[in-house]
Amino acid sequence: MVPVESWWQTAVVYQVYIRSFADGNGDGIGDVAGLRDRLPYLARLGVDAIWINPWYPSPMADAGYDVSDYREIEPVYGTLAEAHRLIAEAHEAGIRVLLDIVPNHSSDHHAWFTAALADEPDARQRYHFRPGRGADGELPPNDWRSVFGGQAWTRVADGDWYLHLFAPGQPDLNWENPEVRAEFEDVLAFWFDKGVDGFRIDVAHGLVKADGLPDGGTGDDTAPTLVQHNASHPAWDQDGVHDVYRGWREVANRYAPERIFIAEAWVPSNERLARYLRPDELHTAFQFDFLRAPWRADVLQEVVDEAIAVAATVGAPPTWVLSNHDVTRTVTRYSRSQPEHLIETDWERARWSKETPDYEAGLRRARAAALVQLALPGTAYVYQGEELGLEEVEDLPDEVRQDPMWEQSGFTDVGRDGCRVPLPWADDVAPYGFSLSKDVQTWLPQPPHWPSKTAEAQDGDPHSTLNLYRDALSARAAIWVDSGDLEWIATTPEVAAFRRGRAQCWVNTGEIPVDLPADAEVVLASVPGTGTQLPPDSAVWLIAGA
Ligand code: NOJ
Ligand code: CA
């Protein structure tokens, strides 16, 4: 096992999707003021850090992942002065602050892109501008597809095309240009100087493209997500990207206390992922196979084993995620039939909506999965609302949808709005305490059946999901954090059980109860009252020989 020396090796990080966390000024959109107000909630929950999704000025072509100024705060969210106060107050509450950096692309409203469109000398060199193919340049320069659907190129007025692996409002930056590299190192230092503890790196595997931008040969109808996962594709996971992160690590290493990075890198294997975690590169990287695992003990076990083994090869902590702002919420993912293989998140969305969800089963499983996640060695990310047991809102009216995926997929993929609906805090009707104003329409509408899901409703109920998370986070610190390597305990196929020292975690993904070891004491159970037997769809933490 990697010896635990630093907070980030075992941290529980809470993901704040700022637009939907809490609204401090009554306009129906989350903001910095709302987040500051709710810091005591996060401290009471027991998280070690927060990761805030992009809060920079943005035209919101992709919910803030289209940044027009990397050194400012989006006015709808607040000001730089408020951001300073937030960082200081979080630190006072014992919570570290991670930001989201978006280096693969800027917004098309960024000053650099405006200059590129105006064709100022050399300005196009900061992006990927190319002449088109075909007799009149009417065809895009290569066959790459956007992750959101459609082609990855848009033509500008003078006939050239620019590359965007995501929305047209997100032109890809050219990382072969030293000016781009210098600029982002400076942006990192700007925020580190303000006390920020680290960054989640958006599309960390995308920055560097293969020389000459050759065709990928994947054809028009290939699912863009699959292309993103494909190492042999010239748009993704190119070896040259590691040089960028060696430079970033040098910037971080100039600071004390430690500043850290977490990579969002959708690469096809854990071996490829480990390359981002070499000692002179990034500290951690999300291991998405856990999030993609169906509710099956055997698959969970395989995924856990592989993630731990691969992280160990580079001395990094494994990093567990059950959901985030890009995928269907955990309760809903577990509320329908479970495939035998890892889930391709976008594809499942279309299939799932045709099956009636069983939310009770989904919630039971999500609660159990949380206990598994929080018992594993390494670090864990909790996406806001997981601690309230929220489901995906699948019935948003089409006219309120904001995710560019909806339009770019030709209205075939509803996209990710359903996991981004503003949080319910209190009260029996929308906006459920999300906003200062009771009459406001939140930026995405909240469902009428959320009164029992609010933080307030769950606060006093000892068996609520909120209190399960609170109990789990405090017990985690006591029994798991220093407990050592994971060892599997032999059980039946539908059960996975492991021990780390004297602590054990058991999970039952089957349909019949199973006996628990007689010489162990229950510390925490996802089904209240669990004693000698572990019910279906549940998990338990035990201390052996107590
Ligand atoms: C990954 C982010 O998590 C997602 O929300 C965004 O759309 C893409 N990167 C593009 O920035
Ligand atoms: Ca607001």
Side-chain angles (χ1 to χ4, degrees):
M1 166 167 129
V2 187
V4 174
E5 286 162 3
S6 293
W7 65 273
W8 53 268
Q9 292 171 303
T10 58
V12 176
V13 182
Y14 185 95
Q15 181 188 347
V16 174
Y17 194 76
I18 188 159
R19 209 171 173 73
S20 298
F21 185 69
D23 170 20
N25 70 349
D27 64 357
I29 301 173
D31 48 41
V32 181
L35 173 53
R36 287 173 63 205
D37 287 347
R38 302 288 178 176
L39 283 174
Y41 169 86
L42 296 174
R44 162 96 172 80
L45 185 58
V47 300
D48 303 295
I50 51 177
W51 146 37
I52 306 171
N53 286 103
W55 62 358
Y56 318 103
S58 166
M60 303 288 163
D62 182 23
Y65 282 96
D66 48 321
V67 178
S68 50
D69 182 350
Y70 290 85
R71 296 180 185 79
E72 256 299 347
I73 299 288
E74 161 62 37
V76 169
Y77 297 154
T79 61
L80 258 186
E82 279 180 284
H84 289 165
R85 286 199 280 277
L86 168 78
I87 295 164
E89 288 163 1
H91 286 166
E92 274 162 37
I95 297 173
R96 274 134 172 145
V97 178
L98 309 179
L99 301 185
D100 209 319
I101 184 120
V102 190
N104 180 68
H105 42 264
S106 73
S107 160
D108 60 346
H109 290 214
H110 190 284
W112 275 4
F113 196 74
T114 317
L117 284 190
D119 209 8
E120 287 174 22
D122 294 336
R124 292 201 174 178
Q125 301 304 319
R126 299 177 183 133
Y127 295 91
H128 296 284
F129 277 83
R130 294 283 186 284
R133 298 200 270 206
D136 299 311
E138 73 284 7
L139 298 171
N142 70 18
D143 68 355
W144 297 2
R145 311 279 299 163
S146 156
V147 172
F148 294 154
Q151 61 197 19
W153 296 89
T154 289
R155 200 170 192 192
V156 300
D158 62 21
D160 268 5
W161 298 73
Y162 70 89
L163 175 69
H164 53 85
L165 291 174
F166 295 88
Q170 295 170 297
D172 279 53
L173 287 156
N174 172 15
W175 280 83
E176 303 302 336
N177 183 339
E179 196 189 350
V180 172
R181 295 192 183 219
E183 167 70 359
F184 274 86
E185 292 188 4
D186 196 65
V187 167
L188 295 176
F190 174 86
W191 291 104
F192 285 153
D193 287 342
K194 302 208 163 358
V196 160
D197 299 282
F199 285 94
R200 175 259 191 198
I201 305 169
D202 187 61
V203 200
H205 57 308
L207 279 48
V208 172
K209 279 81 177 166
D211 268 354
L213 312 184
D215 279 346
T218 38
D220 251 16
D221 51 358
T222 308
T225 321
L226 286 187
V227 174
Q228 194 182 4
H229 291 172
N230 185 346
S232 64
H233 193 279
W236 305 112
D237 193 29
Q238 299 296 304
D239 290 343
V241 79
H242 297 285
D243 215 37
V244 173
Y245 298 131
R246 284 189 276 270
W248 286 24
R249 183 61 175 254
E250 281 176 23
V251 177
N253 286 348
R254 301 205 298 259
Y255 289 82
E258 248 175 323
R259 306 299 208 260
I260 64 130
F261 296 111
I262 164 107
E264 184 224 19
W266 293 87
V267 295
S269 70
N270 275 308
E271 285 72 24
R272 295 296 300 182
L273 194 66
R275 298 161 63 87
Y276 292 75
L277 301 174
R278 290 175 288 199
D280 58 348
E281 296 189 42
L282 308 174
H283 301 73
T284 54
F286 296 121
Q287 283 173 308
F288 289 122
D289 286 355
F290 190 61
L291 163 159
R292 298 172 59 212
W295 184 245
R296 288 178 186 271
D298 54 345
V299 184
L300 275 175
Q301 195 162 334
E302 271 167 38
V303 158
V304 165
D305 267 342
E306 193 177 322
I308 292 176
V310 169
T313 62
V314 276
T319 300
W320 311 103
V321 204
L322 278 174
S323 81
N324 61 33
H325 64 293
D326 290 332
V327 298
T328 304
R329 278 201 178 270
T330 317
V331 169
T332 303
R333 172 156 55 91
Y334 287 149
S335 71
R336 295 197 170 102
S337 62
Q338 299 293 296
E340 283 174 19
H341 47 81
L342 293 187
I343 292 165
E344 211 54 72
T345 51
D346 299 352
W347 282 15
E348 292 300 316
R349 210 161 22 226
R351 179 180 70 79
W352 273 334
S353 52
K354 296 187 187 88
E355 251 182 66
T356 309
D358 175 350
Y359 288 135
E360 277 178 28
L363 182 58
R364 277 199 306 275
R365 294 168 177 177
R367 289 167 58 101
L371 291 196
V372 176
Q373 178 193 23
L374 296 169
L376 290 168
T379 78
Y381 280 69
V382 176
Y383 174 47
Q384 68 179 42
E386 266 179 18
E387 82 281 18
L388 302 175
L390 298 187
E391 326 95 20
E392 184 85 358
V393 181
E394 291 181 305
D395 57 356
L396 287 170
D398 288 347
E399 61 275 14
V400 304
R401 295 190 188 286
Q402 314 250 337
D403 187 350
M405 221 177 227
W406 173 232
E407 195 181 326
Q408 275 184 249
S409 69
F411 307 104
T412 57
D413 185 340
V414 295
R416 304 158 295 176
D417 292 316
C419 65
R420 301 174 173 180
V421 171
L423 287 193
W425 290 96
D427 305 337
D428 285 340
V429 287
Y432 298 111
F434 170 75
S435 181
L436 267 192
S437 153
K438 286 200 184 282
D439 306 317
V440 76
Q441 178 59 59
T442 51
W443 74 278
L444 286 174
Q446 299 159 304
H449 65 272
W450 270 4
S452 63
K453 296 282 186 186
T454 65
E456 184 184 62
Q458 298 196 37
D459 186 49
D461 171 3
H463 302 319
S464 69
T465 302
L466 176 57
N467 280 317
L468 180 72
Y469 267 88
R470 287 171 173 164
D471 294 345
L473 292 189
S474 80
R476 169 185 165 92
I479 73 172
W480 293 112
V481 162
D482 290 318
S483 63
D485 285 344
L486 175 149
E487 209 185 304
W488 295 102
I489 301 168
T491 56
T492 53
E494 288 176 327
V495 172
F498 59 84
R499 70 166 64 84
R500 297 175 57 205
R502 283 178 57 217
Q504 298 184 9
C505 176
W506 288 61
V507 58
N508 182 0
T509 63
E511 285 170 8
I512 48 170
V514 293
D515 289 337
L516 287 168
D519 64 341
E521 190 186 305
V522 173
V523 177
L524 190 61
S526 67
V527 170
T530 299
T532 55
Q533 285 204 313
L534 183 62
D537 289 338
S538 79
V540 72
W541 290 358
L542 308 170
I543 292 284

